[in-house]
Each structure stands twice: as C-alpha cells, then as structure tokens.
Amino acid sequence: MRRVGITFLAALAAVSVVSVSANPLPSTTQLTSSQPTGTKKCHVNPTPFVIPSLQEWDGGSGNWKLNANTRIVVDPSFANGGALDADSTFMRNPSNLKQYAASFQADISEVTGVNVEVVVSSTYGANDIFLTLGADSTDPELNIEGYLLDITRKGISIQGVTSRGAFWGTRSVLQMLILADERGYALPHGHARDFPNYSERKFMQDIARKPIPMSDLHEYATLSSFYKFNTLHHHYNDNPGMQVKSLMPDWQTKYAGFRLRTENPEYSMYASNDTSYTKQDMREFQDFIKARGLDLIPEIDTPAHSLCFTKFHPNWSIQNDTARGDWLDLGNPEVQPFLEGLWTEFIDWFDSREVSIGADEYDPTKGDLARKFINSMHDYFATNFNRSIRMWGSDVRLQGSIEINQNIHTDHWDWTYSSPVDLVKRGHKVSNLNAPDSYLVPRTLSYEDFIDSRKIYNLWEPWVFDIFDKTNTSRNLSPNEPLLTGGGLGNWNDFLSESVTRVELFDRVSRALDVFGEKLWAGAKNSDHISYDKWAPLAKKLRENIPGITLRRRPQTKGQFVMSYDFENGVTDASGNAYDAKLQNGATIVEAGEGHGRAAQLTPDSYISTPVDAISYPYAVAMWIKPSGDQQPNAVILESEDGRVLISNNTSPTVIFEQDGNQYNTQVILPPGQWSHLAFSADTQQTTVFFNMRRVATVQYYNPRWDVLANSTMLVTAPLSTIGSAKGNSMSGLVDGFVVLDRASYGGEMAFLGKRYADALP
C-alpha cells in the first residue's frame, strides 16, 4: 500500500472525533473519598479510595512515597506464620507472612516498575513496608482477618491478626499505589483499622459447562483476591438444562462436563476431553491461591446434574419417563457406594476442610430419599475424612419428614428451593447467593447477563435476600445474624461454551466482583456517603490495572490506532506504538499493482507475527485481502490463542470466526483473485462484519436449548498474534492496509479506511 503515514492517520482521527466519547482518567483530587471516616482534624488527609472501603481512617498530614530504596520487611517473629493462621482459613497448610510478601513484591513491581526487595528483619526504615502480626485478636470487630495500617514518615506498617489479615492490608496499599500513579506513588499519612463484616466472601464459578483453562482460573483467583474475597467455589460437573426423558429421548447425547482427571481407570472415563485438571494441576493451583489469601471449596454435584455419570451408566438414572436423565437413582444400591468411592478418589486432591456435594434440583417426589442421602454424606465425610459439607438450598423443594443435619452449611440461591430465614431458625449456617441478584449467567433471559452494579451498590447486602422489601423480617436476616456467614457472586454457564467466549466471561465477572467485594467487606458503610457515580470511575481505573491480569486483552496504545501496516516500508508499524511486525517462514513484501503499491504475500507455510496477541472490545480491525484461487481447508487469516479468523471451513465458504474452539459463520465470501476489503468491529453489544466497506452481518450464536431456541450476538476477541498462521495453515494471497483501532467503528468510517484503494474493487 502506498504509505498512508501521519497525514492519513491524523485525518481519520479528525473524522472520527465525533464518534469517540471522551473518557479521561480521574484527576488526582478525585482519588480519595469525600468524607473521612475517622476523627476530623485540620489539614488531615481524607480517606484513601480502595475497594472494599476502609472501615476506619484517621488521616494525618503529609505523604509517604515509594522509591527505589523501598523494601518489604517481614517480621522474623511471624515470617513462617502466626498461631491463629490456621483458624482464618478452611485450607490445610495456609500461606505464611513471607509467602504473602512474595506475592506483594510481584504486584508492586508490575504496577509501579519498582523492584522492591523482600527481607526478614525486626527493624525497618522510612522507605519500607513492614509486615507483622500482633493486632488485637480479642477485638470482636477486628476479628481473624482484620489488620491495622499505619502510613507515616517512619514508613508503612501493616499489622494483621493473622498472616491473611496482613495480606489484606497489602491489597489496600497496592490499590492506593495504582490510584497514586499521577502523584509519583505518594500515599497519604494516616492510620486505618480495617476488618471484614462477614467471614465468607465468595466467588463461585461453574467451570463444568464452560471449559476454562487453568491459566484463566489463576487470573480469576488474582482478580478475587484483589478485592479481598477469601473463598473460591468450583463447580466441577454439570450438563445443560434437561427435560424429562419422555420429552428428551436423546438425553444421553447431551454435553456433560466433569473436570477432574485421575489416572485411576475406575474413574478416568468421566473426565472431559475438552478440558480437565490433573492432581498436579490442582496442587499447583491451590498453592497459588493460598499465597493470595484464598480458600477453595470443591463441588461434585449429585444426585442431580449428574449426566457425566448417567450417560455411562444409564441404569443408574431413575428408570421412568417422568424423570430427568441426569438424576441419579438413589434407590439403586450401586449409586451411593459409587459416589462415596468417587469422593474417596478425589478428596486428597483438596486442602479444604469443607466441600460441597451440590444436592440441588433433584426429583421433588423423592424428598426423604434425598434428605437421607444428604445426611449420610455428612456422616461419611465426618467419619472418613474429618471434613464438613455444604449444599445448595433444597429443603423447600425436597419435602420430607427427615430433618437435614443442621451442621451442613447451606448456600441459599432461590426461594422456591429454600428459605434462609427458616434455615437459620433450624440452626443452619447460611451463605447468600440469592438469584437473580447474585447470579451472573451469560446470554440468559432469566438471570443477569451483566450484573447491575449500581443496583448491587445501592441495594444489596449479604443479609438482604429481597432487595425490594429489605425491612421484611420474613424475607431477610438481621445484619448481625451469627449464622449468616456471608455470600458472594455465582457465575453459571448454563448455555455451554459456545454461548460466551473466555474473554467475554472474564469481562462480565470483573465488572461484578468489585461491587460485591465492597458490600461483602464494608457493607453499606461506604455507599452511604460515596455515591455510585463517584465510586464507579475509580473502580474502573482499579479494574483496568490489576497486576497479573492478561484476559482484559487491551493492548497499550498512545492513541486510537493500535497497529497500522501499509507494507511500503516492510512491516513497520505506523501507529506510533512501535508494534513492528516480523515476516516469518518465507512471507515477503511484493509489488502488488492495482493501486496498492507494496503488499504482504503469504503462502500456507508463511505468516507475519506481531507483538500484540489480541484485542477485546471495543475495537475495529480492517484490511485489504486478495486470496489466491487455491486455499487449504480452514486457511487462516488471523490467529492467536483466543481464536482464529478463517477464510472458510470444511462446511461453509464464508469467512469464519473461531473462539475457544467454537466456530461462527458470517455471510462474507472472499472471491479468489480479487481485492476485497474485510473489516470487523466490536462494541459492547455485538461484532459487526463489513465487506467492501458495507455492513453485511453480525457474529451470532444460536442457542439450541429447548427453552430458548434463539440467536444471540457474540463479542469476538480479535486475534492479532499472527497474520496467517504459525502452524502451517495460512491463507494464500496478498494482504494490505492492515489497521487496528482501539474503539468500535462503523460503516462510514470503514468506507474512509478503504476508499483510497476502492478503484481496485471489481
């Protein structure tokens, strides 16, 4: 392509100004809350903004500043842990202060670029951050996870009741540093006394119906820990919503996920082929999360949601046409011994002293049989493993005369299945995951596709089970109810993998965890004096700068152009970001003619690599492309670990988007031997495909579930790691005028992008 250069890019920027909404970062004066929570004094520093909010703050004057001499100093008396550490977690062998310091060290380095040293010493200096224990464990408010934070001219001191409590103090300091980037990482002098209102702050995730790589689970853990969540709950087996057998005769063919893979042939057959985790995977994952203050509750959900077992043993399902195929028959003498053996196989994989057996949505005609099973599983775990169990609330739906053991912890999720008020009266511990408020279910019509953060911020509390009738004592608990352990966010993936991409899912979760973290720790205290409109912009800045997170897929850029290759001077990036590409494995630059000047030529084995892996919405990607007449099946136009853009596949001649192994057709056919302009753009609602500068399609997913049967638009993550494929399956032909914007674009602008070479169109 004849070099567009600065003039063209500036012109496009000028044309598009009207379509780009300004989103400036908050000014430094916005980086603190408007009202301190401590004693008012003259010229005191206001309360620093963190999520969740500090419970108490007594501001001083002046600032402490991070610098090249800063160290993280660990008190040698507690470097290997404190006497109360085991009481603050469900997990065996909890992390100690030195391990938490290593996590903090990596976070500071990524956020600030300052490589702080970790040392063990009983003395610290004015530049240092000192981690120690010894905060008053008898203080009923400070509790087992509380901490004291002092920021003074003598340095920073974080003193926890436990090592985990001290780690929560590092999360507060880390967030202050993120928001202090415009002030040279200067933090206000002052004293904080901070503690959670609830002992369980949980993120529950259905990883059975959406295959999630272990690397993603690490990032969800990092995200949760950033907001002081202390519990992950993984749902390891499930299947799509089922009808009774008479209405779903093909029930055995439906997808069923089971994510634990053992080498024991007695149980290895149940592991999912698309994604599953080994014992070593789970060991490494638990070590990772413990160093971030997190517990893991493992769940194998039975006797319902058990298609992963009944499809192999159809005789174990309830043998009548009015039952669902995923219901195990608890009256079958083979079933319970199998489940006990299954848990025996996997129980030692997990460090948690509490596990979940699920036990929800079972056949309501078999209430007492189910209640007997639940109680027997409680006894089995207590006797054989010295562990407790929890379950999803089911007692209302499973009517019977047998009382469910009151030592079983209940996750309340729906009033038609359980009543949290009645559960507490009967002595059960209760956690609040009440739907729809606490349920995130992508592409759903029944629950929340995106959590309404404003609603949660203004109305939801862990003790509130009916946000529109909060004063009704028959529908809500007391804020100080001792059997209310807390609550959290539940992410269910009812419509399976193809309904949502990995990046879409992470975006939904990350936009929700911050507000739930706020309410689970500090409750309404902060939202009473900081409006949501003031809270949200600062929450956004924190969310976009969490260390250890890559799933945002938002490359750094100096302006709206992320990459721009015109190929007149090789593969130099004209965007100003210096994202220069590389010609690989025989890719060349040739004279293309037809008004295009120079262009990149690809063969099946050659490709162009870029330093940018992918970009998530909003974005726009545009290029000129002239395919040769001979293409390999599934020839690749663009590729990254998130997916591919194919010129066609084995069953369709149209351009195909592939994400997480799922393929989505378009209506675009690229004619061989001719120049065409191909572009696609994603906003927050849809991915639009343009052919020759005209909008022709949106990327859609058809939901085949029996109670939906409808199309939904998809938000595709644009793969940018390679133009062509590094795996020997590139498209053959020419590519020119490759441009990536960090915002969505529309028809008129697409025409502007392509018009210079429109005379090359047939």
Side-chain angles (χ1 to χ4, degrees):
M1 176 179 282
R2 301 300 179 199
R3 186 166 180 79
V4 178
I6 301 300
T7 302
F8 174 76
L9 298 186
L12 179 55
V15 166
S16 59
V17 162
V18 295
S19 66
V20 183
S21 59
N23 187 23
L25 292 176
S27 69
T28 54
T29 58
Q30 291 176 298
L31 297 181
T32 57
S33 63
S34 59
Q35 298 181 25
T37 58
T39 304
K40 293 185 178 179
K41 296 187 264 185
C42 295
H43 310 296
V44 299
N45 291 319
T47 309
F49 183 95
V50 297
I51 300 175
S53 300
L54 299 174
Q55 296 275 20
E56 297 177 5
W57 171 259
D58 188 12
S61 60
N63 297 287
W64 175 93
K65 195 168 186 177
L66 182 78
N67 59 66
N69 296 316
T70 297
R71 305 173 303 166
I72 300 172
V73 180
V74 180
D75 188 338
S77 299
F78 305 106
N80 295 315
L84 299 176
D85 281 0
D87 297 331
S88 70
T89 174
F90 285 140
M91 306 290 273
R92 296 175 299 188
N93 305 315
S95 288
N96 57 45
L97 210 54
K98 193 159 55 176
Q99 292 167 320
Y100 284 131
S103 299
F104 189 31
Q105 177 189 38
D107 292 339
I108 290 178
S109 176
E110 183 173 340
V111 166
T112 69
V114 178
N115 295 316
V116 297
E117 182 184 6
V118 174
V119 299
V120 178
S121 175
S122 57
T123 60
Y124 66 101
N127 296 313
D128 296 334
I129 303 171
F130 184 57
L131 303 183
T132 186
L133 304 184
D136 187 1
S137 61
T138 64
D139 184 335
E141 279 193 328
L142 200 57
N143 66 55
I144 205 77
E145 292 184 87
Y147 65 93
L148 304 176
L149 169 65
D150 283 290
I151 306 174
T152 72
R153 60 183 177 82
K154 296 181 180 180
I156 294 180
S157 170
I158 301 173
Q159 184 182 47
V161 175
T162 59
S163 298
R164 182 189 242 177
F167 181 69
W168 298 143
T170 72
R171 301 304 84 189
S172 295
V173 172
L174 179 66
Q175 292 187 18
M176 292 181 202
L177 288 170
I178 291 172
L179 295 178
D181 60 343
E182 297 176 358
R183 302 193 303 275
Y185 304 113
L187 306 188
H189 286 169
H191 170 77
R193 179 174 174 271
D194 200 20
F195 48 87
N197 288 344
Y198 295 94
S199 62
E200 180 171 274
R201 306 176 303 282
K202 180 166 73 173
F203 171 49
M204 174 272 155
Q205 191 162 36
D206 169 11
I207 59 177
R209 289 178 285 196
K210 171 69 180 176
I212 298 181
M214 184 56 73
S215 60
D216 289 12
L217 294 182
H218 280 70
E219 295 202 22
Y220 281 110
T222 298
L223 176 70
S224 303
S225 172
F226 186 76
Y227 298 117
K228 301 188 179 78
F229 281 74
N230 65 359
T231 305
L232 302 175
H233 177 153
H234 283 171
H235 182 78
Y236 288 119
N237 68 291
D238 215 327
N239 41 264
M242 306 288 284
Q243 294 175 287
V244 298
K245 291 179 179 180
S246 62
L247 298 176
M248 189 177 279
D250 61 344
W251 61 271
Q252 285 181 258
T253 67
K254 302 301 181 182
Y255 181 87
F258 185 75
R259 299 299 172 202
L260 303 177
R261 180 175 294 277
T262 177
E263 295 180 358
N264 184 341
E266 187 174 354
Y267 302 103
S268 60
M269 72 181 80
Y270 306 115
S272 300
N273 291 325
D274 49 9
T275 299
S276 56
Y277 315 120
T278 66
K279 184 176 184 178
Q280 182 62 29
D281 291 334
M282 296 312 304
R283 176 71 273 138
E284 293 172 359
F285 178 70
Q286 289 172 99
D287 290 343
F288 176 85
I289 69 170
K290 284 195 287 188
R292 284 151 185 81
L294 291 161
D295 295 346
L296 174 65
I297 302 295
E299 178 188 344
I300 299 176
D301 193 359
T302 60
H305 302 279
S306 297
L307 184 61
C308 58
F309 308 126
T310 60
K311 71 188 309 179
F312 287 96
H313 311 283
N315 59 306
W316 288 0
S317 68
I318 296 175
Q319 298 297 299
N320 65 65
D321 287 343
T322 61
R324 287 176 11 186
D326 65 335
W327 286 345
L328 285 164
D329 183 0
L330 294 176
N332 186 318
E334 296 179 355
V335 168
Q336 185 155 341
F338 165 75
L339 295 178
E340 291 173 353
L342 182 76
W343 271 110
T344 300
E345 175 68 23
F346 291 110
I347 192 67
D348 287 338
W349 290 28
F350 300 101
D351 291 344
S352 178
R353 296 194 297 266
E354 184 169 276
V355 304
S356 176
I357 63 166
D360 63 322
E361 297 188 296
Y362 189 58
D363 186 345
T365 69
K366 299 184 182 297
D368 267 339
L369 188 62
R371 287 166 174 251
K372 180 180 178 182
F373 164 75
I374 292 165
N375 287 342
S376 68
M377 292 301 282
H378 168 272
D379 296 343
Y380 183 77
F381 276 89
T383 301
N384 292 278
F385 311 123
N386 192 29
R387 306 200 197 199
S388 58
I389 67 171
R390 65 195 300 156
M391 61 180 286
W392 293 101
S394 300
D395 58 300
V396 170
R397 189 77 165 194
L398 295 174
Q399 292 292 316
S401 59
I402 297 174
E403 181 66 30
I404 295 174
N405 191 306
Q406 68 175 204
N407 293 316
I408 297 174
H409 196 165
T410 301
D411 288 305
H412 169 83
W413 68 282
D414 190 297
W415 280 93
T416 61
Y417 284 83
S418 67
S419 164
V421 176
D422 289 344
L423 284 167
V424 164
K425 288 179 180 178
R426 297 201 305 273
H428 290 269
K429 291 187 294 183
V430 174
S431 182
N432 183 356
L433 281 89
N434 187 54
D437 305 319
S438 300
Y439 264 33
L440 172 62
V441 187
R443 303 289 189 270
T444 187
L445 300 177
S446 302
Y447 298 112
E448 301 282 359
D449 185 14
F450 280 87
I451 290 293
D452 184 345
S453 294
R454 183 184 296 272
K455 180 184 74 173
I456 298 301
Y457 187 84
N458 290 326
L459 298 176
W460 188 85
E461 301 285 341
W463 57 271
V464 174
F465 293 81
D466 187 341
I467 62 172
F468 299 113
D469 195 7
K470 295 169 71 170
T471 61
N472 187 341
T473 57
S474 69
R475 300 281 292 177
N476 302 285
L477 297 177
S478 164
N480 300 315
E481 170 55 57
L483 291 176
L484 175 62
T485 56
L489 174 69
N491 161 224
W492 295 95
N493 297 304
D494 289 20
F495 302 137
L496 306 182
S497 176
E498 59 266 29
S499 68
V500 64
T501 71
R502 292 165 54 212
V503 176
E504 280 186 294
L505 181 61
F506 187 83
D507 180 58
R508 283 165 164 78
V509 171
S510 67
R511 291 170 184 265
L513 279 185
D514 53 5
V515 70
F516 276 98
E518 178 69 49
K519 303 309 284 286
L520 286 162
W521 181 280
K525 182 172 183 179
N526 177 55
S527 55
D528 281 348
H529 71 267
I530 299 179
S531 71
Y532 177 80
D533 289 333
K534 290 182 179 180
W535 182 88
L538 299 174
K540 180 175 183 289
K541 183 171 182 179
L542 287 177
R543 184 169 65 244
E544 292 177 349
N545 290 279
I546 301 173
I549 299 299
T550 67
L551 280 167
R552 289 191 64 249
R553 302 292 197 259
R554 297 295 295 170
Q556 294 292 317
T557 182
K558 296 177 180 178
Q560 60 185 313
F561 287 89
V562 179
M563 295 190 293
S564 178
Y565 305 134
D566 60 18
F567 302 114
E568 290 302 312
N569 293 310
V571 286
T572 302
D573 175 24
S575 72
N577 294 315
Y579 289 139
D580 296 343
K582 293 181 180 180
L583 299 170
Q584 304 281 10
N585 217 30
T588 58
I589 304 297
V590 300
E591 289 291 337
E594 300 180 90
H596 277 260
R598 306 184 79 195
Q601 185 170 53
L602 300 179
T603 62
D605 292 327
S606 64
Y607 61 97
I608 300 169
S609 62
T610 85
V612 177
D613 185 63
I615 186 169
S616 178
Y617 55 91
Y619 68 81
V621 176
M623 73 194 82
W624 285 91
I625 186 167
K626 183 180 180 181
S628 68
D630 185 20
Q631 301 291 335
Q632 294 189 100
N634 301 299
V636 176
I637 301 172
L638 297 171
E639 188 172 60
S640 77
E641 67 168 290
D642 292 308
R644 305 184 295 175
V645 180
L646 308 178
I647 201 166
S648 62
N649 67 9
N650 293 328
T651 61
S652 173
T654 69
V655 171
I656 303 292
F657 287 91
E658 183 179 279
Q659 301 272 282
D660 306 343
N662 305 301
Q663 293 191 342
Y664 309 91
N665 291 332
T666 71
Q667 300 174 28
V668 175
I669 298 176
L670 296 176
Q674 298 179 9
W675 281 108
S676 300
H677 192 260
L678 175 66
F680 52 102
S681 175
D683 54 22
T684 59
Q685 302 297 321
Q686 62 187 7
T687 306
T688 304
V689 184
F690 299 85
F691 177 64
N692 288 340
M693 295 156 280
R694 294 186 177 183
R695 179 183 185 274
V696 295
T698 58
V699 180
Q700 294 194 336
Y701 147 73
Y702 178 72
N703 189 334
R705 203 172 101 159
W706 55 273
D707 57 347
V708 181
L709 303 176
N711 283 318
S712 297
T713 56
M714 296 292 296
L715 291 174
V716 173
T717 302
L720 300 175
S721 182
T722 60
I723 302 172
S725 173
K727 301 174 183 176
N729 198 37
S730 297
M731 58 148 284
S732 296
L734 301 175
V735 176
D736 199 7
F738 185 85
V739 175
V740 179
L741 301 177
D742 78 336
R743 57 173 177 78
S745 188
Y746 302 94
E749 198 169 66
M750 285 299 174
F752 188 80
L753 278 170
K755 71 175 184 178
R756 182 178 174 89
Y757 305 99
D759 56 357
L761 293 173

